[in-house]
Amino acid sequence: MIAVDIAATDFRPDLVRWRQLVTPAWLAALTAGARVEAAPAAAWRLFEVGCGGAALFEQAHIPGAAYLDTCDIEQQPLWNKVSDQALLALLLARGVRHDSTVILYGRNNLAAARLAHLLLYAGVADVRLLDGGYPRWQAGGHPCARGPAPACAAAPDFGVAFPAHPEYLASTAQVRALLDGGDGVLASIRTRAEFMGQVSGYSYIAAGDIPGARWGRAGEDGDVNSMSAYHRADGSLKPAADIVAPWAEHGIGPGRPATFYCGTGWRASMAFFYAWLMGWPEISVYDGGWFEWSQTPPPA
């Protein structure tokens, strides 16, 4: 057994919760059985999160990973999260308790961020995200496995009341109250063209955005899977200061309650996770996003 020097893993001193953003080098050492800094305290689970990506997972994935599809945590017609009962059943079936360490990655890391937010909402205490996701793992030349994931033992119970952090999820009514109250900020994690109402970004959502929201940026116009305003060219997270400064220009900061949203939740979940990494105290995701808002009549 060898120890991995923390400097080699490039943990982020600019993040309050630096242990929760892991590098490919750290994860490669962990999956190989080496001793690592900030190792999980007990049992850990590794999930690749995707949307319709089970076949790709079986072709190649990070050794030790299981696959979880976002269709199991979201439901039509608005692609909001499934019921609390369904989410709890899914986590227990995958062996996840509140005291589990859960490490997530995706070929599109926004899918992994979507699950990361819901795990934190549920009450999983140790949620970690692979910085840069599967593309960065591949770019580093790390080994891959093939075939289906082995079956895992189910957890008998979650261990704490579920969900443990309902405050991490905001409803349409709560968003209206936030806007009316003026004490918090609603952050639109969408492209400039989406925020300006010039394009929808989705084939099934009308163009527009929520009146009173602040622009929190996302990525390139026309690409709802881009978070280039937050990521370096290799997909890893930019320095925290490079994210916080543009947010501050639009009145988004840690001193006020902040609710993040996008079209249906993926990009908002990534912004939420980054704010959580930075230690922001009052943050949430508006699960319905612009899609639900655009479908909901205003109160009489």
Side-chain angles (χ1 to χ4, degrees):
M1 299 267 290
I2 60 171
V4 176
D5 186 352
I6 193 170
T9 66
D10 193 27
F11 279 119
R12 296 285 299 272
D14 58 330
L15 300 175
V16 172
R17 294 186 169 102
W18 54 268
R19 293 173 180 82
Q20 313 312 128
L21 188 69
V22 305
T23 65
W26 182 91
L27 184 55
L30 180 69
T31 57
R35 289 190 297 112
V36 294
E37 297 285 349
W44 54 274
R45 299 283 290 146
L46 173 64
F47 291 105
E48 176 175 320
V49 189
C51 183
L56 287 174
F57 173 85
E58 293 194 7
Q59 292 174 17
H61 56 265
I62 296 177
Y67 177 76
L68 198 151
D69 202 281
T70 56
C71 289
D72 293 328
I73 60 174
E74 299 176 321
Q75 59 187 347
Q76 297 189 55
L78 297 174
W79 300 110
N80 289 352
K81 78 165 188 70
V82 296
S83 69
D84 285 347
Q85 294 81 1
L87 181 60
L88 175 59
L90 173 69
L91 298 183
L92 294 181
R94 300 302 183 106
V96 176
R97 286 173 39 92
H98 79 283
D99 52 0
S100 302
T101 293
V102 182
I103 306 167
L104 306 172
Y105 75 92
R107 293 163 200 265
N108 176 352
N109 234 20
L110 295 180
R114 176 66 161 149
L115 179 57
H117 167 254
L118 292 182
L119 290 176
L120 292 170
Y121 162 84
V124 178
D126 189 4
V127 180
R128 309 194 190 195
L129 183 70
L130 176 61
D131 197 14
Y134 188 65
R136 196 163 172 235
W137 175 273
Q138 286 185 304
H142 299 293
C144 293
R146 293 179 58 86
C152 67
D157 58 75
F158 193 66
V160 296
F162 190 99
H165 290 290
E167 72 276 11
Y168 285 163
L169 197 69
S171 66
T172 296
Q174 289 171 319
V175 168
R176 292 193 191 280
L178 178 78
L179 292 170
D180 291 342
D183 294 331
V185 60
L186 181 64
S188 176
I189 310 301
R190 307 180 73 196
T191 66
R192 178 179 287 278
E194 288 175 277
F195 180 70
M196 298 299 294
Q198 298 167 347
V199 301
S200 160
Y202 304 80
S203 62
Y204 51 90
I205 305 178
D209 214 339
I210 300 176
R214 310 292 183 90
W215 186 43
R217 307 185 307 155
E220 305 302 322
D221 281 343
D223 186 357
V224 298
N225 288 310
S226 172
M227 288 285 279
S228 58
Y230 295 75
H231 296 152
R232 301 184 180 101
D234 67 353
S236 62
L237 176 65
K238 287 182 178 180
D242 290 356
I243 294 173
V244 171
W247 275 354
E249 292 176 5
H250 296 277
I252 306 166
R256 304 174 65 190
T259 296
F260 302 95
Y261 76 95
C262 55
T264 62
W266 286 27
R267 290 174 291 178
S269 294
M270 184 66 83
F272 169 93
F273 191 78
Y274 288 165
W276 180 78
L277 289 174
M278 297 174 202
W280 287 26
E282 295 184 79
I283 52 175
S284 60
V285 169
Y286 173 28
D287 193 23
W290 167 243
F291 192 14
E292 181 173 323
W293 185 277
S294 68
Q295 300 292 309
T296 305

